[in-house]
Amino acid sequence: MTRTGLAAPARAKRRLRAATIVLAAVSTLALMPMMSRPAEAQVTAFKQGVAESAYGQDGVATFYRERNYEPLWTADTQAGQARRAALIQALRTADRHGLPLSRYNPDGLIAQMQQAQTARQMGALEIALSDAYLGYARDVQSGILVPRKIDSQIVREVNYRNPDELLEMLAADDPDRIRSAVAALPPQTTEYRNLMKARLVLADAARDGLWGPTVPERKMERGDQGPDVLKLRDRLVRMGYLSPSPAGIYTQEVESAVRQVQMDNGLEADGVAGPETIRQLNVSAQDRLQSVLVAMERERWLNQDLGARHIWVNLTDFTARIMQDGDIAFETRSVVGANRDGRRTPEFSDAMEYMMINPSWYVPRSIVTKEYLPKLRANPNAVSHIEITDSRGRVVNRSAANFAQYSAASFPYAMRQPPSPRNALGLVKFMFPNPYNIYLHDTPQKNLFDRNVRAYSHGCIRLADPFDFAYALLSAQTDTPEEDFQRILKTGRETRVNLEQPVPVHLDYRTAFTDQRGHLQFRRDIYGRDARIWQALSNAGVALDTVRS
């Protein structure tokens, strides 16, 4: 038993045996009987069928042209049989990856295999199989959705492999290598494997109601007893947090289980079952399954080499981590963009190149015109801690300026806050130059880090422990990172410190993820992005009632 429910049932094994029988039949289909001893005319007709069906598909057409239109799928060889069997198996089990089975139509492909009689039909079948493979490969490797079409702030660049490269992966004659190539199409990360396991468990819990009834939303703590405590205990037992017991008392064991629920949901772990803890405990298995399916799609979007050493920011978890070879080398709390237009932190990957110690804050134009200009119109001495500068960088004499004459479009000045402990960026910022003007930085507003939900910034990511974050980054290039950093800091001068080896940065958004032990975690959908992704997945054919074990 795990905290995500019970182990997958035996019926999954029965389905696997049934699928194996079908695949055995597919692998031995006698394709192209008339081509076992090919005549020149039949070969020509086959090539014409391939060329006609591949017309307009540059990558596919190039692949077949370069191999002189030799068959890949329809060859009556062990390799051809292995390719067909591996493809049909992958398509039939696509829902294990949270992909819609209706998208692939494996039964239609089998029927086309059985019905193809002429060499020209075999050529068309060859391309149909390649198309099915390429569609599945693209979906399981890179996702079925285009991130920017779901939310304009998901500006992640998804890696898509070339069709000819994907087809070339299967060109080997060794059946084992062919099967391995198809099996390696999905993300090979530990996180993806953990999410697949969680999907199985949650699918069973959602289908069979394994989590039982919800718990009344009222505060409960150690020493309490009665029917509501019994319902709480029952829910905790069914979800795998607590061992069965008939006692209707809020014991130390219940308190420990509640504390684990709180940690798994990013709440303050005080062991008291307050309203928010009960609300998270009452979230249905169906809703949790949706979050996991969305996380699997997101993992496919990020199916790339993250870097042995990289920075990972999960916006929903309000944390920033430095990862080294899969382990957390450093972690700190963060504040992310507020849930307001123009302030939500976007999602993308880049590379951190340098840090600025004692930074100036060059106020973004949007803040200048929307927030500060109205104040300056009313009072030229407003926001006096920020300098107003002209196009040549000279400080503007406020008393001689008439700010009331300017609109947001015509305002000719920039604004800058010089280095100081009260600077909006604090005493250090970490730069990975990008078109969205997003970076990590210190902040004088330390009180915000004590809150569970920390979405307050204009979009950049504020760090609770920026100095330690800097030391951890600099430790890769100096034996005295703290001394080096503090020496520069004490000068009070704005100083750029380059990272000798740029560090990949990944700003992501996961409402479902697994921790270092593989345990499932959930967080709030602070921007509503995952709800939109789930709606798009649902529109694409992913349905909870068809998710099978």
Side-chain angles (χ1 to χ4, degrees), residues 512-532:
F513 59 95
T514 61
D515 61 21
Q516 294 293 103
R517 300 166 298 169
H519 291 163
L520 197 55
Q521 302 273 306
F522 294 102
R523 298 294 185 267
R524 298 172 183 84
D525 188 6
I526 55 173
Y527 298 154
R529 288 178 187 168
D530 276 13
R532 288 189 284 278

Side-chain angles (χ1 to χ4, degrees), residues 6 8 27 39 86 106 142 145 158 162 234 259 261 279 324 359 370 466 481 486 488 492 501 525 538:
L6 303 176
S27 66
S142 307
L145 305 176
V158 179
N162 293 327
D234 181 62
R259 189 174 289 112
V261 170
R279 275 193 289 272
Q324 183 67 53
K370 293 179 181 178
Q486 288 293 332
I488 297 171
Q501 183 64 47
D525 188 6
S538 180

Side-chain angles (χ1 to χ4, degrees), residues 234-262:
D234 181 62
R235 183 84 170 180
L236 291 169
V237 169
R238 286 171 172 269
M239 295 180 71
Y241 283 99
L242 189 66
S243 299
S245 169
I249 303 174
Y250 200 114
T251 61
Q252 181 178 351
E253 290 74 23
V254 173
E255 184 179 77
S256 296
V258 168
R259 189 174 289 112
Q260 189 62 61
V261 170
Q262 292 166 332

Side-chain angles (χ1 to χ4, degrees), residues 295-351:
M296 292 174 70
E297 176 75 355
R298 286 183 167 281
E299 190 73 4
R300 291 188 286 266
W301 292 348
L302 202 55
N303 187 13
Q304 58 185 271
D305 182 6
L306 302 181
R309 186 169 185 254
H310 65 268
I311 295 165
W312 177 268
V313 178
N314 184 0
L315 302 180
T316 69
D317 190 38
F318 309 108
T319 56
R321 294 172 171 173
I322 299 175
M323 304 296 296
Q324 183 67 53
D325 298 319
D327 295 323
I328 301 173
F330 181 80
E331 179 176 12
T332 183
R333 289 165 293 163
S334 69
V335 168
V336 304
N339 187 23
R340 293 169 53 186
D341 288 344
R343 294 196 178 187
R344 299 178 187 94
T345 304
E347 302 170 47
F348 63 97
S349 294
D350 213 299

